[in-house]
Amino acid sequence: MSATAQSTAVRITGYGVLSAAGPGGKALYEAVRSGGLPPGEDPARLLDGQPAPPGVRLVPVPDFAPQEYLGRKGLRALSRTTTLAMAAAEMALDSLQESDGSRDVDTGVVLGTSTGSARAFAEFFRETYEAERPYLVSPALFPGLLLNHGASQVAMRHSLTGVNASLAGGPVSALSALRYARTALLTGRAERLLTGAVEELSAHTAWAWHRGGALGDRPAIGEGSAVFVLDAAPEPAAPGSPRVELTACEVAFTPPEEGPHAVAAALARCVENALRAGGARPGDVDVVSAGAAGGPGWGAVETRGLRRALAGHAPDVLRVRDVLGETYSAGGALQLAALLAHWEGGPGAADDAVRRFGLVTSVGHDGSVGAAVLRRPSATG
């Protein structure tokens, strides 16, 4: 680890998650452990009456009602992307258990996304053609088209004046957000950051994935949001206080036309660099939350890269995508939430063995790769 990383710990002290398994990390972990979800919603209702792509399994957040998390005021002009992010952030803040009450800290927001809300974007511009005059489109809808709308709404709701950033990195958006946030905390640009990622499911995203042909043999499209409270804490926290410490996060890219072996090698280097920066050896990793993107062969690419980086060690593997479907920019955040829940309540949660590190990985069909290294609370005290 660098001197900066050694002197300032970045801890995840709370989190909130909404997924197809329902609200909360426990529901997500139980779904991943069992390998399945309860019967989902009616696709016609999910896609607002628009036809769903044939042969595609839709995996929405069940019965999501934003007013249950945010109240009823001011929601009418907000997209599903924005309300999912706001609800997860609300849950993350509610999960904090601070002995000194609500601290007056410099708090910001760092959110990973794809394009913001594809549905809001498409419907707004369609209305410019269908309205009697193009300029008669409601101006209240325009802010929802912007990439940073979700992060800005979270900040405005809680009067957060710290760093505010939105990162669009495709399948590594969540890990890019974590890396950005960790750097901001270690360099003193913030004391606390709400960090995560979001992806909505709509007819527009479903048809885009279907037409793109990148979903593989068993196509499933999901959605969700996970937001984590990251704190820069120079002193060790009280026992049991932090859920986990983020020790390193790396992202990289290799042109996919160079072939699957090149992408696997890039992932291996990314994992190796993250482990080295996080002060861990391959044998220290007890669980991997894997996240290969859709499409034939990408799971094998990720497995090959992990096998090379972990030097033959075989930790437990959580395969979140197999249950939640393709969640794109939210994938890494949902994987991290599943890992935290695994450590909180899964087998061996109270075990104080040597292998106390976890790994979150992402591999995209565009050649992007990422890896985050986490340390269990038992190793931070």
Side-chain angles (χ1 to χ4, degrees), residues 171 209 213-217 220 291-299 321 325-326 328 363-366:
W209 277 107
L215 289 174
D217 298 331
W298 289 109
R321 187 186 180 279
E326 177 59 73
Y328 201 48
V363 178
H365 56 269
D366 60 352

Side-chain angles (χ1 to χ4, degrees), residues 12 26 78 82 135 333:
I12 299 176
K26 182 178 179 181
L78 300 183
T82 298
Y135 53 80

Side-chain angles (χ1 to χ4, degrees), residues 24-262:
K26 182 178 179 181
L28 174 57
Y29 172 69
E30 290 296 333
V32 172
R33 186 176 66 171
S34 65
L37 294 167
E41 296 185 1
D42 176 10
R45 181 162 73 90
L46 169 72
L47 299 179
D48 298 320
Q50 301 185 49
V56 176
R57 183 169 64 97
L58 302 176
V59 195
V61 174
D63 303 317
F64 176 58
Q67 61 271 19
E68 294 181 5
Y69 303 90
L70 308 171
R72 296 186 176 275
K73 186 177 180 181
L75 301 183
R76 189 169 67 173
L78 300 183
S79 68
R80 188 174 179 91
T81 292
T82 298
T83 54
L84 281 169
M86 293 175 68
E90 202 78 17
M91 295 170 67
L93 290 171
D94 288 345
S95 72
L96 293 178
Q97 296 179 349
E98 298 177 319
S99 59
D100 58 348
S102 178
R103 292 185 295 165
D104 183 17
V105 296
D106 179 17
T107 303
V109 183
V110 181
L111 195 65
T113 182
S114 53
T115 58
S117 173
R119 175 186 172 186
F121 193 93
E123 291 183 347
F124 181 88
F125 282 97
R126 183 179 65 189
E127 192 174 342
T128 66
Y129 287 96
E130 294 180 344
E132 185 176 352
R133 294 285 188 274
Y135 53 80
L136 294 180
V137 177
S138 171
L141 299 177
F142 184 77
L145 313 187
L146 303 178
L147 187 71
N148 68 340
H149 191 240
S152 63
Q153 286 295 312
V154 171
M156 286 189 286
R157 178 177 177 84
H158 297 283
S159 301
L160 308 179
T161 58
V163 172
N164 194 282
S166 299
L167 290 85
V172 298
S173 293
L175 295 188
S176 295
L178 286 170
R179 186 174 187 272
Y180 183 103
R182 186 171 184 274
T183 300
L185 290 166
L186 292 179
T187 54
R189 295 173 57 203
E191 296 178 54
R192 167 176 289 174
L193 289 171
L194 300 179
T195 307
V198 60
E199 188 72 45
E200 73 172 25
L201 176 58
S202 68
H204 306 85
T205 55
W207 278 100
W209 277 107
H210 177 67
R211 295 294 189 189
L215 289 174
D217 298 331
R218 295 182 294 173
I221 309 170
E223 65 175 354
S225 180
V227 173
F228 308 89
V229 183
L230 270 61
D231 279 299
E235 299 298 330
S241 175
R243 285 189 165 90
V244 71
E245 181 182 327
L246 175 64
T247 63
C249 191
E250 302 288 338
V251 294
F253 169 78
T254 292
E257 56 267 24
E258 293 186 5
H261 288 282

Side-chain angles (χ1 to χ4, degrees), residues 273-368:
N273 291 339
L275 288 174
R276 190 178 304 112
R281 299 181 300 271
D284 296 334
V285 177
D286 74 337
V287 61
V288 176
S289 192
W298 289 109
V301 169
E302 185 174 40
T303 299
R304 185 181 301 121
L306 283 169
R307 187 183 298 119
R308 172 175 168 178
L310 297 179
H313 294 282
D316 293 336
V317 179
L318 304 177
R319 300 196 178 277
V320 179
R321 187 186 180 279
D322 290 351
V323 175
L324 301 186
E326 177 59 73
T327 55
Y328 201 48
S329 59
L334 296 172
Q335 291 166 234
L336 175 52
L339 187 148
L340 296 186
H342 169 80
W343 275 342
E344 289 173 345
D351 184 20
D352 198 31
V354 174
R355 303 201 325 160
R356 296 166 177 162
F357 286 82
L359 188 64
V360 176
T361 58
S362 291
V363 178
H365 56 269
D366 60 352
S368 57

